[in-house]
Amino acid sequence: MIKEIIRLREIAKENGEPVLRDKSFELLLTTVKEEKPKKILEIGVNLGLSGIAMLLTESGASLTGIEIDEQKIALAKDNYKKFGVFDRAKIFQGDASEIIPVLTGEYDFIFLDGPKGHYYEYLPNLLSVLKVGGTLFADNVLFRGYVFSENTPHRFNTTKHSMENFINAITKDENLRTELYQIEDGVSITKKLK
């Protein structure tokens, strides 16, 4: 079934969909396989392909997703049905900035792949719903190579600074252990220690 996900990812890429890059996708699934989460939170569902792959990798997991685009939600739900994970996945429709602060419960694993300029804003609320021992997997943390670079086009400065603040927060907090991967657009994997 993962082969079918990979095929659909290729079609999505050809259609200009912002899907997780290949090496980052492999790292996501490897991390899920190692961590064996039971409750996954996904920020930025898009077509649901990454979420489905996580659920197929960890058969005991359930997923809660947040997606702003109604059409994407409909497509993701169709994909959930197609891959037999519909009963293990639910999606909140709306702006993650409004939904994340009111989430209840705890998650073992958070996959953050939403609006890049908001990662730092989301962080305190994400950490509050992440279990001790849980993992925050964030994509695009090096934001086109502009993070910690002097040569950033002016229009990207706000996002760049937000991402720099995010990286500083997850790497300097003694309650967290973070590894940064300089693959593709950058991935961070953060473990909540206490």
Side-chain angles (χ1 to χ4, degrees):
M1 283 188 131
I2 294 290
K3 281 184 181 169
E4 178 62 7
I5 292 281
I6 290 167
R7 189 185 73 79
L8 291 176
R9 282 169 43 79
E10 291 305 317
I11 293 169
K13 279 189 242 175
E14 288 167 16
N15 292 331
E17 288 292 338
V19 297
L20 188 61
R21 290 170 178 83
D22 294 344
K23 288 180 184 170
S24 301
F25 180 71
E26 286 173 29
L27 182 58
L28 175 68
L29 297 190
T30 299
T31 307
V32 167
K33 199 175 287 185
E34 288 169 359
E35 300 292 328
K36 299 185 180 351
K38 295 299 169 225
K39 285 184 70 184
I40 300 170
L41 175 64
E42 181 179 21
I43 315 300
V45 170
N46 196 14
L47 303 177
L49 300 177
S50 295
I52 293 163
M54 288 189 285
L55 291 173
L56 293 175
T57 299
E58 184 49 53
S59 60
S62 64
L63 180 132
T64 300
I66 300 173
E67 175 59 55
I68 198 165
D69 186 321
E70 253 178 277
Q71 287 180 306
K72 297 274 171 76
I73 291 172
L75 293 168
K77 285 182 175 179
D78 285 346
N79 284 328
Y80 292 158
K81 286 175 188 160
K82 178 178 177 181
F83 285 90
V85 298
F86 185 79
D87 58 334
R88 295 166 49 208
K90 67 179 175 187
I91 304 176
F92 291 119
Q93 197 258 320
D95 187 327
S97 296
E98 296 169 8
I99 295 171
I100 293 170
V102 297
L103 287 172
T104 57
E106 286 189 312
Y107 296 89
D108 309 294
F109 193 91
I110 299 174
F111 173 39
L112 177 57
D113 194 20
K116 312 311 161 215
H118 293 279
Y119 279 26
Y120 182 62
E121 169 201 338
Y122 296 161
L123 186 60
N125 289 309
L126 291 176
L127 291 175
S128 75
V129 295
L130 183 64
K131 277 185 176 173
V132 171
T135 300
L136 169 62
F137 185 108
D139 189 35
N140 306 112
V141 296
L142 299 178
F143 188 59
R144 304 179 186 186
Y146 295 140
V147 172
F148 302 117
S149 163
E150 298 299 317
N151 303 319
T152 304
H154 182 72
R155 70 183 184 277
F156 295 130
N157 273 338
T158 302
T159 301
K160 168 199 153 137
H161 291 307
S162 173
M163 201 59 85
E164 288 171 348
N165 289 335
F166 174 80
I167 290 173
N168 283 328
I170 60 175
T171 55
K172 294 185 174 154
D173 186 331
E174 61 187 27
N175 297 317
L176 306 173
R177 186 182 70 237
T178 297
E179 289 183 59
L180 285 175
Y181 294 82
Q182 297 198 12
I183 57 171
E184 295 160 336
D185 205 23
V187 168
S188 64
I189 300 179
T190 301
K191 179 75 85 170
K192 184 175 176 180
L193 304 177
K194 55 185 174 177

PDB file of all heavy atoms in Angstrom, residues 61-93:
ATOM      1  N   ALA A  61      -2.223   3.285  15.470  1.00  0.00           N
ATOM      2  CA  ALA A  61      -2.327   4.735  15.672  1.00  0.00           C
ATOM      3  C   ALA A  61      -3.643   5.301  15.163  1.00  0.00           C
ATOM      4  O   ALA A  61      -4.289   4.747  14.278  1.00  0.00           O
ATOM      5  CB  ALA A  61      -1.164   5.432  14.970  1.00  0.00           C
ATOM      6  N   SER A  62      -4.011   6.441  15.753  1.00  0.00           N
ATOM      7  CA  SER A  62      -5.110   7.264  15.228  1.00  0.00           C
ATOM      8  C   SER A  62      -4.521   8.637  14.911  1.00  0.00           C
ATOM      9  O   SER A  62      -3.478   9.011  15.459  1.00  0.00           O
ATOM     10  CB  SER A  62      -6.244   7.389  16.239  1.00  0.00           C
ATOM     11  OG  SER A  62      -5.791   8.070  17.399  1.00  0.00           O
ATOM     12  N   LEU A  63      -5.186   9.360  14.027  1.00  0.00           N
ATOM     13  CA  LEU A  63      -4.653  10.644  13.564  1.00  0.00           C
ATOM     14  C   LEU A  63      -5.708  11.728  13.660  1.00  0.00           C
ATOM     15  O   LEU A  63      -6.866  11.516  13.312  1.00  0.00           O
ATOM     16  CB  LEU A  63      -4.180  10.505  12.110  1.00  0.00           C
ATOM     17  CG  LEU A  63      -3.605  11.768  11.478  1.00  0.00           C
ATOM     18  CD1 LEU A  63      -2.289  11.460  10.788  1.00  0.00           C
ATOM     19  CD2 LEU A  63      -4.563  12.378  10.469  1.00  0.00           C
ATOM     20  N   THR A  64      -5.287  12.890  14.154  1.00  0.00           N
ATOM     21  CA  THR A  64      -6.101  14.099  14.124  1.00  0.00           C
ATOM     22  C   THR A  64      -5.377  15.086  13.230  1.00  0.00           C
ATOM     23  O   THR A  64      -4.181  15.355  13.437  1.00  0.00           O
ATOM     24  CB  THR A  64      -6.258  14.704  15.538  1.00  0.00           C
ATOM     25  OG1 THR A  64      -6.894  13.745  16.385  1.00  0.00           O
ATOM     26  CG2 THR A  64      -7.094  15.973  15.502  1.00  0.00           C
ATOM     27  N   GLY A  65      -6.064  15.598  12.228  1.00  0.00           N
ATOM     28  CA  GLY A  65      -5.450  16.538  11.303  1.00  0.00           C
ATOM     29  C   GLY A  65      -6.113  17.897  11.362  1.00  0.00           C
ATOM     30  O   GLY A  65      -7.274  18.023  11.756  1.00  0.00           O
ATOM     31  N   ILE A  66      -5.363  18.911  10.969  1.00  0.00           N
ATOM     32  CA  ILE A  66      -5.890  20.276  10.843  1.00  0.00           C
ATOM     33  C   ILE A  66      -5.588  20.743   9.426  1.00  0.00           C
ATOM     34  O   ILE A  66      -4.447  20.665   8.966  1.00  0.00           O
ATOM     35  CB  ILE A  66      -5.240  21.233  11.863  1.00  0.00           C
ATOM     36  CG1 ILE A  66      -5.513  20.763  13.295  1.00  0.00           C
ATOM     37  CG2 ILE A  66      -5.754  22.656  11.663  1.00  0.00           C
ATOM     38  CD1 ILE A  66      -4.775  21.560  14.363  1.00  0.00           C
ATOM     39  N   GLU A  67      -6.632  21.200   8.747  1.00  0.00           N
ATOM     40  CA  GLU A  67      -6.482  21.671   7.365  1.00  0.00           C
ATOM     41  C   GLU A  67      -7.472  22.811   7.144  1.00  0.00           C
ATOM     42  O   GLU A  67      -8.638  22.710   7.530  1.00  0.00           O
ATOM     43  CB  GLU A  67      -6.752  20.520   6.390  1.00  0.00           C
ATOM     44  CG  GLU A  67      -6.757  20.888   4.921  1.00  0.00           C
ATOM     45  CD  GLU A  67      -5.451  21.502   4.436  1.00  0.00           C
ATOM     46  OE1 GLU A  67      -4.395  20.873   4.610  1.00  0.00           O
ATOM     47  OE2 GLU A  67      -5.501  22.631   3.897  1.00  0.00           O
ATOM     48  N   ILE A  68      -7.020  23.878   6.507  1.00  0.00           N
ATOM     49  CA  ILE A  68      -7.874  25.048   6.289  1.00  0.00           C
ATOM     50  C   ILE A  68      -8.729  24.914   5.021  1.00  0.00           C
ATOM     51  O   ILE A  68      -9.825  25.446   4.944  1.00  0.00           O
ATOM     52  CB  ILE A  68      -7.035  26.347   6.261  1.00  0.00           C
ATOM     53  CG1 ILE A  68      -7.923  27.568   6.489  1.00  0.00           C
ATOM     54  CG2 ILE A  68      -6.194  26.435   4.996  1.00  0.00           C
ATOM     55  CD1 ILE A  68      -7.151  28.836   6.837  1.00  0.00           C
ATOM     56  N   ASP A  69      -8.244  24.181   4.026  1.00  0.00           N
ATOM     57  CA  ASP A  69      -8.866  24.114   2.705  1.00  0.00           C
ATOM     58  C   ASP A  69      -9.922  23.006   2.644  1.00  0.00           C
ATOM     59  O   ASP A  69      -9.604  21.823   2.737  1.00  0.00           O
ATOM     60  CB  ASP A  69      -7.761  23.870   1.667  1.00  0.00           C
ATOM     61  CG  ASP A  69      -8.252  23.933   0.235  1.00  0.00           C
ATOM     62  OD1 ASP A  69      -9.372  23.450  -0.052  1.00  0.00           O
ATOM     63  OD2 ASP A  69      -7.505  24.432  -0.618  1.00  0.00           O
ATOM     64  N   GLU A  70     -11.175  23.412   2.462  1.00  0.00           N
ATOM     65  CA  GLU A  70     -12.294  22.453   2.439  1.00  0.00           C
ATOM     66  C   GLU A  70     -12.170  21.416   1.328  1.00  0.00           C
ATOM     67  O   GLU A  70     -12.486  20.247   1.515  1.00  0.00           O
ATOM     68  CB  GLU A  70     -13.621  23.204   2.267  1.00  0.00           C
ATOM     69  CG  GLU A  70     -14.459  23.235   3.521  1.00  0.00           C
ATOM     70  CD  GLU A  70     -15.736  24.028   3.309  1.00  0.00           C
ATOM     71  OE1 GLU A  70     -15.684  25.267   3.429  1.00  0.00           O
ATOM     72  OE2 GLU A  70     -16.774  23.391   3.033  1.00  0.00           O
ATOM     73  N   GLN A  71     -11.715  21.850   0.154  1.00  0.00           N
ATOM     74  CA  GLN A  71     -11.565  20.911  -0.968  1.00  0.00           C
ATOM     75  C   GLN A  71     -10.504  19.860  -0.664  1.00  0.00           C
ATOM     76  O   GLN A  71     -10.667  18.686  -0.982  1.00  0.00           O
ATOM     77  CB  GLN A  71     -11.200  21.665  -2.249  1.00  0.00           C
ATOM     78  CG  GLN A  71     -12.372  22.437  -2.827  1.00  0.00           C
ATOM     79  CD  GLN A  71     -11.965  23.167  -4.090  1.00  0.00           C
ATOM     80  OE1 GLN A  71     -11.009  23.932  -4.102  1.00  0.00           O
ATOM     81  NE2 GLN A  71     -12.702  22.919  -5.170  1.00  0.00           N
ATOM     82  N   LYS A  72      -9.416  20.291  -0.029  1.00  0.00           N
ATOM     83  CA  LYS A  72      -8.358  19.340   0.344  1.00  0.00           C
ATOM     84  C   LYS A  72      -8.890  18.331   1.364  1.00  0.00           C
ATOM     85  O   LYS A  72      -8.537  17.150   1.321  1.00  0.00           O
ATOM     86  CB  LYS A  72      -7.144  20.076   0.917  1.00  0.00           C
ATOM     87  CG  LYS A  72      -6.476  21.019  -0.069  1.00  0.00           C
ATOM     88  CD  LYS A  72      -5.464  20.293  -0.920  1.00  0.00           C
ATOM     89  CE  LYS A  72      -4.933  21.131  -2.044  1.00  0.00           C
ATOM     90  NZ  LYS A  72      -3.975  22.130  -1.672  1.00  0.00           N
ATOM     91  N   ILE A  73      -9.710  18.813   2.279  1.00  0.00           N
ATOM     92  CA  ILE A  73     -10.283  17.904   3.287  1.00  0.00           C
ATOM     93  C   ILE A  73     -11.123  16.827   2.611  1.00  0.00           C
ATOM     94  O   ILE A  73     -11.019  15.641   2.952  1.00  0.00           O
ATOM     95  CB  ILE A  73     -11.114  18.683   4.328  1.00  0.00           C
ATOM     96  CG1 ILE A  73     -10.182  19.532   5.198  1.00  0.00           C
ATOM     97  CG2 ILE A  73     -11.945  17.742   5.199  1.00  0.00           C
ATOM     98  CD1 ILE A  73     -10.888  20.487   6.132  1.00  0.00           C
ATOM     99  N   ALA A  74     -11.934  17.234   1.646  1.00  0.00           N
ATOM    100  CA  ALA A  74     -12.777  16.256   0.931  1.00  0.00           C
ATOM    101  C   ALA A  74     -11.896  15.218   0.227  1.00  0.00           C
ATOM    102  O   ALA A  74     -12.182  14.010   0.286  1.00  0.00           O
ATOM    103  CB  ALA A  74     -13.680  16.970  -0.072  1.00  0.00           C
ATOM    104  N   LEU A  75     -10.819  15.670  -0.413  1.00  0.00           N
ATOM    105  CA  LEU A  75      -9.905  14.742  -1.099  1.00  0.00           C
ATOM    106  C   LEU A  75      -9.194  13.837  -0.096  1.00  0.00           C
ATOM    107  O   LEU A  75      -9.029  12.641  -0.331  1.00  0.00           O
ATOM    108  CB  LEU A  75      -8.884  15.525  -1.928  1.00  0.00           C
ATOM    109  CG  LEU A  75      -9.462  16.285  -3.131  1.00  0.00           C
ATOM    110  CD1 LEU A  75      -8.428  17.249  -3.707  1.00  0.00           C
ATOM    111  CD2 LEU A  75      -9.945  15.317  -4.199  1.00  0.00           C
ATOM    112  N   ALA A  76      -8.772  14.414   1.033  1.00  0.00           N
ATOM    113  CA  ALA A  76      -8.092  13.614   2.065  1.00  0.00           C
ATOM    114  C   ALA A  76      -9.034  12.538   2.597  1.00  0.00           C
ATOM    115  O   ALA A  76      -8.632  11.375   2.752  1.00  0.00           O
ATOM    116  CB  ALA A  76      -7.611  14.521   3.198  1.00  0.00           C
ATOM    117  N   LYS A  77     -10.280  12.900   2.847  1.00  0.00           N
ATOM    118  CA  LYS A  77     -11.241  11.914   3.372  1.00  0.00           C
ATOM    119  C   LYS A  77     -11.480  10.791   2.358  1.00  0.00           C
ATOM    120  O   LYS A  77     -11.585   9.621   2.734  1.00  0.00           O
ATOM    121  CB  LYS A  77     -12.556  12.601   3.754  1.00  0.00           C
ATOM    122  CG  LYS A  77     -12.443  13.398   5.043  1.00  0.00           C
ATOM    123  CD  LYS A  77     -13.763  14.029   5.434  1.00  0.00           C
ATOM    124  CE  LYS A  77     -13.650  14.717   6.782  1.00  0.00           C
ATOM    125  NZ  LYS A  77     -14.902  15.366   7.185  1.00  0.00           N
ATOM    126  N   ASP A  78     -11.552  11.147   1.083  1.00  0.00           N
ATOM    127  CA  ASP A  78     -11.679  10.120   0.035  1.00  0.00           C
ATOM    128  C   ASP A  78     -10.473   9.169   0.074  1.00  0.00           C
ATOM    129  O   ASP A  78     -10.621   7.955  -0.050  1.00  0.00           O
ATOM    130  CB  ASP A  78     -11.774  10.758  -1.361  1.00  0.00           C
ATOM    131  CG  ASP A  78     -13.145  11.383  -1.618  1.00  0.00           C
ATOM    132  OD1 ASP A  78     -14.098  11.102  -0.850  1.00  0.00           O
ATOM    133  OD2 ASP A  78     -13.258  12.160  -2.584  1.00  0.00           O
ATOM    134  N   ASN A  79      -9.290   9.756   0.241  1.00  0.00           N
ATOM    135  CA  ASN A  79      -8.081   8.938   0.316  1.00  0.00           C
ATOM    136  C   ASN A  79      -8.064   8.063   1.570  1.00  0.00           C
ATOM    137  O   ASN A  79      -7.646   6.906   1.518  1.00  0.00           O
ATOM    138  CB  ASN A  79      -6.823   9.813   0.240  1.00  0.00           C
ATOM    139  CG  ASN A  79      -6.550  10.303  -1.178  1.00  0.00           C
ATOM    140  OD1 ASN A  79      -6.859   9.621  -2.152  1.00  0.00           O
ATOM    141  ND2 ASN A  79      -5.978  11.483  -1.298  1.00  0.00           N
ATOM    142  N   TYR A  80      -8.533   8.612   2.692  1.00  0.00           N
ATOM    143  CA  TYR A  80      -8.615   7.807   3.920  1.00  0.00           C
ATOM    144  C   TYR A  80      -9.489   6.573   3.679  1.00  0.00           C
ATOM    145  O   TYR A  80      -9.142   5.467   4.099  1.00  0.00           O
ATOM    146  CB  TYR A  80      -9.219   8.607   5.078  1.00  0.00           C
ATOM    147  CG  TYR A  80      -8.379   9.746   5.612  1.00  0.00           C
ATOM    148  CD1 TYR A  80      -8.981  10.788   6.310  1.00  0.00           C
ATOM    149  CD2 TYR A  80      -6.997   9.797   5.448  1.00  0.00           C
ATOM    150  CE1 TYR A  80      -8.240  11.838   6.821  1.00  0.00           C
ATOM    151  CE2 TYR A  80      -6.244  10.853   5.953  1.00  0.00           C
ATOM    152  CZ  TYR A  80      -6.875  11.870   6.646  1.00  0.00           C
ATOM    153  OH  TYR A  80      -6.146  12.909   7.150  1.00  0.00           O
ATOM    154  N   LYS A  81     -10.628   6.787   2.984  1.00  0.00           N
ATOM    155  CA  LYS A  81     -11.533   5.661   2.692  1.00  0.00           C
ATOM    156  C   LYS A  81     -10.852   4.645   1.776  1.00  0.00           C
ATOM    157  O   LYS A  81     -10.905   3.439   2.018  1.00  0.00           O
ATOM    158  CB  LYS A  81     -12.822   6.175   2.034  1.00  0.00           C
ATOM    159  CG  LYS A  81     -13.756   6.879   2.994  1.00  0.00           C
ATOM    160  CD  LYS A  81     -14.956   7.468   2.270  1.00  0.00           C
ATOM    161  CE  LYS A  81     -15.761   8.338   3.230  1.00  0.00           C
ATOM    162  NZ  LYS A  81     -16.625   9.291   2.554  1.00  0.00           N
ATOM    163  N   LYS A  82     -10.209   5.164   0.742  1.00  0.00           N
ATOM    164  CA  LYS A  82      -9.549   4.309  -0.248  1.00  0.00           C
ATOM    165  C   LYS A  82      -8.515   3.380   0.400  1.00  0.00           C
ATOM    166  O   LYS A  82      -8.358   2.227   0.003  1.00  0.00           O
ATOM    167  CB  LYS A  82      -8.890   5.198  -1.304  1.00  0.00           C
ATOM    168  CG  LYS A  82      -8.133   4.457  -2.380  1.00  0.00           C
ATOM    169  CD  LYS A  82      -7.573   5.446  -3.399  1.00  0.00           C
ATOM    170  CE  LYS A  82      -6.762   4.743  -4.451  1.00  0.00           C
ATOM    171  NZ  LYS A  82      -6.196   5.656  -5.430  1.00  0.00           N
ATOM    172  N   PHE A  83      -7.811   3.895   1.414  1.00  0.00           N
ATOM    173  CA  PHE A  83      -6.738   3.119   2.055  1.00  0.00           C
ATOM    174  C   PHE A  83      -7.180   2.443   3.357  1.00  0.00           C
ATOM    175  O   PHE A  83      -6.360   1.864   4.064  1.00  0.00           O
ATOM    176  CB  PHE A  83      -5.515   4.007   2.297  1.00  0.00           C
ATOM    177  CG  PHE A  83      -4.742   4.295   1.049  1.00  0.00           C
ATOM    178  CD1 PHE A  83      -5.046   5.398   0.263  1.00  0.00           C
ATOM    179  CD2 PHE A  83      -3.727   3.446   0.624  1.00  0.00           C
ATOM    180  CE1 PHE A  83      -4.349   5.662  -0.904  1.00  0.00           C
ATOM    181  CE2 PHE A  83      -3.022   3.699  -0.539  1.00  0.00           C
ATOM    182  CZ  PHE A  83      -3.326   4.812  -1.312  1.00  0.00           C
ATOM    183  N   GLY A  84      -8.483   2.529   3.656  1.00  0.00           N
ATOM    184  CA  GLY A  84      -9.013   1.806   4.807  1.00  0.00           C
ATOM    185  C   GLY A  84      -8.635   2.366   6.166  1.00  0.00           C
ATOM    186  O   GLY A  84      -8.618   1.637   7.159  1.00  0.00           O
ATOM    187  N   VAL A  85      -8.343   3.672   6.236  1.00  0.00           N
ATOM    188  CA  VAL A  85      -7.972   4.263   7.528  1.00  0.00           C
ATOM    189  C   VAL A  85      -8.968   5.343   7.975  1.00  0.00           C
ATOM    190  O   VAL A  85      -8.719   6.051   8.952  1.00  0.00           O
ATOM    191  CB  VAL A  85      -6.534   4.860   7.495  1.00  0.00           C
ATOM    192  CG1 VAL A  85      -5.511   3.771   7.217  1.00  0.00           C
ATOM    193  CG2 VAL A  85      -6.420   5.993   6.482  1.00  0.00           C
ATOM    194  N   PHE A  86     -10.098   5.426   7.290  1.00  0.00           N
ATOM    195  CA  PHE A  86     -11.066   6.492   7.554  1.00  0.00           C
ATOM    196  C   PHE A  86     -11.508   6.521   9.021  1.00  0.00           C
ATOM    197  O   PHE A  86     -11.655   7.591   9.610  1.00  0.00           O
ATOM    198  CB  PHE A  86     -12.289   6.344   6.643  1.00  0.00           C
ATOM    199  CG  PHE A  86     -13.275   7.470   6.762  1.00  0.00           C
ATOM    200  CD1 PHE A  86     -13.042   8.680   6.124  1.00  0.00           C
ATOM    201  CD2 PHE A  86     -14.425   7.330   7.522  1.00  0.00           C
ATOM    202  CE1 PHE A  86     -13.947   9.735   6.240  1.00  0.00           C
ATOM    203  CE2 PHE A  86     -15.328   8.380   7.646  1.00  0.00           C
ATOM    204  CZ  PHE A  86     -15.085   9.584   6.992  1.00  0.00           C
ATOM    205  N   ASP A  87     -11.697   5.343   9.605  1.00  0.00           N
ATOM    206  CA  ASP A  87     -12.177   5.281  10.991  1.00  0.00           C
ATOM    207  C   ASP A  87     -11.087   5.623  12.009  1.00  0.00           C
ATOM    208  O   ASP A  87     -11.369   5.762  13.197  1.00  0.00           O
ATOM    209  CB  ASP A  87     -12.756   3.890  11.296  1.00  0.00           C
ATOM    210  CG  ASP A  87     -11.739   2.775  11.081  1.00  0.00           C
ATOM    211  OD1 ASP A  87     -10.810   2.951  10.271  1.00  0.00           O
ATOM    212  OD2 ASP A  87     -11.877   1.719  11.730  1.00  0.00           O
ATOM    213  N   ARG A  88      -9.842   5.786  11.553  1.00  0.00           N
ATOM    214  CA  ARG A  88      -8.735   6.121  12.454  1.00  0.00           C
ATOM    215  C   ARG A  88      -8.256   7.557  12.277  1.00  0.00           C
ATOM    216  O   ARG A  88      -7.270   7.966  12.902  1.00  0.00           O
ATOM    217  CB  ARG A  88      -7.560   5.160  12.215  1.00  0.00           C
ATOM    218  CG  ARG A  88      -7.918   3.729  12.581  1.00  0.00           C
ATOM    219  CD  ARG A  88      -6.909   2.729  12.028  1.00  0.00           C
ATOM    220  NE  ARG A  88      -5.531   3.095  12.309  1.00  0.00           N
ATOM    221  CZ  ARG A  88      -4.504   2.746  11.535  1.00  0.00           C
ATOM    222  NH1 ARG A  88      -4.695   2.017  10.439  1.00  0.00           N
ATOM    223  NH2 ARG A  88      -3.280   3.092  11.856  1.00  0.00           N
ATOM    224  N   ALA A  89      -8.938   8.321  11.422  1.00  0.00           N
ATOM    225  CA  ALA A  89      -8.489   9.683  11.125  1.00  0.00           C
ATOM    226  C   ALA A  89      -9.652  10.660  11.185  1.00  0.00           C
ATOM    227  O   ALA A  89     -10.746  10.360  10.718  1.00  0.00           O
ATOM    228  CB  ALA A  89      -7.851   9.724   9.738  1.00  0.00           C
ATOM    229  N   LYS A  90      -9.403  11.816  11.784  1.00  0.00           N
ATOM    230  CA  LYS A  90     -10.401  12.894  11.756  1.00  0.00           C
ATOM    231  C   LYS A  90      -9.682  14.197  11.444  1.00  0.00           C
ATOM    232  O   LYS A  90      -8.491  14.348  11.739  1.00  0.00           O
ATOM    233  CB  LYS A  90     -11.175  12.976  13.068  1.00  0.00           C
ATOM    234  CG  LYS A  90     -10.353  13.402  14.262  1.00  0.00           C
ATOM    235  CD  LYS A  90     -11.207  13.469  15.516  1.00  0.00           C
ATOM    236  CE  LYS A  90     -10.333  13.789  16.725  1.00  0.00           C
ATOM    237  NZ  LYS A  90     -11.049  13.711  17.972  1.00  0.00           N
ATOM    238  N   ILE A  91     -10.415  15.115  10.826  1.00  0.00           N
ATOM    239  CA  ILE A  91      -9.817  16.392  10.427  1.00  0.00           C
ATOM    240  C   ILE A  91     -10.651  17.541  10.989  1.00  0.00           C
ATOM    241  O   ILE A  91     -11.883  17.546  10.856  1.00  0.00           O
ATOM    242  CB  ILE A  91      -9.766  16.541   8.891  1.00  0.00           C
ATOM    243  CG1 ILE A  91      -9.023  15.370   8.243  1.00  0.00           C
ATOM    244  CG2 ILE A  91      -9.105  17.862   8.500  1.00  0.00           C
ATOM    245  CD1 ILE A  91      -9.020  15.408   6.726  1.00  0.00           C
ATOM    246  N   PHE A  92      -9.968  18.503  11.593  1.00  0.00           N
ATOM    247  CA  PHE A  92     -10.598  19.765  11.976  1.00  0.00           C
ATOM    248  C   PHE A  92     -10.364  20.740  10.837  1.00  0.00           C
ATOM    249  O   PHE A  92      -9.220  20.932  10.409  1.00  0.00           O
ATOM    250  CB  PHE A  92      -9.988  20.336  13.253  1.00  0.00           C
ATOM    251  CG  PHE A  92     -10.289  19.535  14.488  1.00  0.00           C
ATOM    252  CD1 PHE A  92      -9.260  18.966  15.215  1.00  0.00           C
ATOM    253  CD2 PHE A  92     -11.585  19.351  14.924  1.00  0.00           C
ATOM    254  CE1 PHE A  92      -9.516  18.233  16.365  1.00  0.00           C
ATOM    255  CE2 PHE A  92     -11.867  18.618  16.066  1.00  0.00           C
ATOM    256  CZ  PHE A  92     -10.828  18.057  16.788  1.00  0.00           C
ATOM    257  N   GLN A  93     -11.451  21.353  10.348  1.00  0.00           N
ATOM    258  CA  GLN A  93     -11.323  22.325   9.270  1.00  0.00           C
ATOM    259  C   GLN A  93     -11.201  23.716   9.865  1.00  0.00           C
ATOM    260  O   GLN A  93     -12.015  24.124  10.698  1.00  0.00           O
ATOM    261  CB  GLN A  93     -12.538  22.259   8.344  1.00  0.00           C
ATOM    262  CG  GLN A  93     -12.307  22.925   7.002  1.00  0.00           C
ATOM    263  CD  GLN A  93     -12.919  24.300   6.869  1.00  0.00           C
ATOM    264  OE1 GLN A  93     -14.026  24.540   7.332  1.00  0.00           O
ATOM    265  NE2 GLN A  93     -12.205  25.198   6.228  1.00  0.00           N
TER     266      GLN A  93
END
